[in-house]
Amino acid sequence: MPARGQYDGHDWGSQAAASAVKQLQGMGVQVFPPGNKETVDWGVLAGYDGQKRQIEDCLLYPLLHPEVYTKLAEGTRETFQSNRPRAVLFEGPPGTGKTTSARVISSQSAVPLVYVPLEAVLSKWYGESEGLLSQVFKAAEALGGAIIFFDELDSLGGNREGGDIHEVSRRMLSVMLREMDGFDARKSVVIGATNRKSDLDAALLSRFDMVVTFGLPLECERQQILKRYARHLGAEQLTKLAEATEDLSGRDLRDVAEHTERRWASKIIRKEVPEGTLPSLDDYLLSASSRRHAMLSGRTAQSRSAAPVPIWNLTGL
Ligand SMILES: Nc1ncnc2c1ncn2[C@@H]1O[C@H](COP(=O)(O)OP(=O)(O)OP(=O)(O)O)[C@@H](O)[C@H]1O
Ligand SMILES: [Mg+2]
């Protein structure tokens, strides 16, 4: 059993926490225990320095140093109110590091991560979704505080015209709005993730203090990511591979590397290449080209990795 966390007395080891975890798991929600700083760190994501910095400022520091924020609010407010972030939105195309960032925050802050894959649980919760959604917030409280990560947030705010499932989404949305206003921001924080920010309901969007945009990696970022997955290639070769992988995400690049390695392993087993050798740039270029072809046929070019933008610039608030 992991050690108790230090964050505002959250109480992972308690009986109440254990039964909250059990209840959440029964609902199809995953709970990651509070790790320690060594478990997952920013090293797992190459590049994206702007996003990492913004996440540190808006999420990690308030979780790690709550006393600084409390003292400030005591000095500035007539009536005490929390000045900590309640909710932060991660938006961007698939495979660009949104979920991974939530794992890093949880690990670095030693706060449990409650992962709610909305699209999947929505059908599972059919008929009782609203009640179950409220239970997620209650369970986070029983844990003594948690990072509540709602993945595929757009499944709540998307097409709201007719149909049963849309009616459920609509009712769930109003519960979500209410819960996001009501939870104790001194103990928990909500992270929402979406590939389709434009589909989010305006009232839901306005509940987020901040938006962190994860764009597709720029060429220099692709080079850094590829170095992670093909470290035997030289700088010049990595540059060439980065040039040939425009519009691919970090996940695509990882998959290109995996695919190349699998093909190379087959060649070793068939004795077509000597044992102990590693794939060459050309092997990676071949996989990259088929991956790009497969990906781009189903995807229009999406926005590049942009500097993080505060929500007020995006919504006109
Ligand atoms: N910058 C990066 N450096 C290294 N690996 C990366 C990077 N970005 C993504 N990856 C790889 O891609 C995987 C998928 O990333 P992740 O699940 O965080 O994406 P996501 O933005 O949550 O995607 P989705 O929108 O589909 O949920 C990671 O586990 C990692 O292996
Ligand atoms: Mg994800």
Side-chain angles (χ1 to χ4, degrees), residues 183-202:
F183 78 89
D184 186 351
R186 285 168 309 170
K187 292 194 178 268
S188 294
V189 66
V190 166
I191 300 177
T194 181
N195 304 141
R196 295 178 295 153
K197 186 171 124 290
S198 55
D199 281 1
L200 292 187
D201 180 87

Side-chain angles (χ1 to χ4, degrees), residues 95 97-100 115 149 151 193 195 251:
K98 299 180 292 300
T99 303
T100 307
Y115 176 79
F149 187 91
D151 213 351
N195 304 141
R251 181 187 285 140

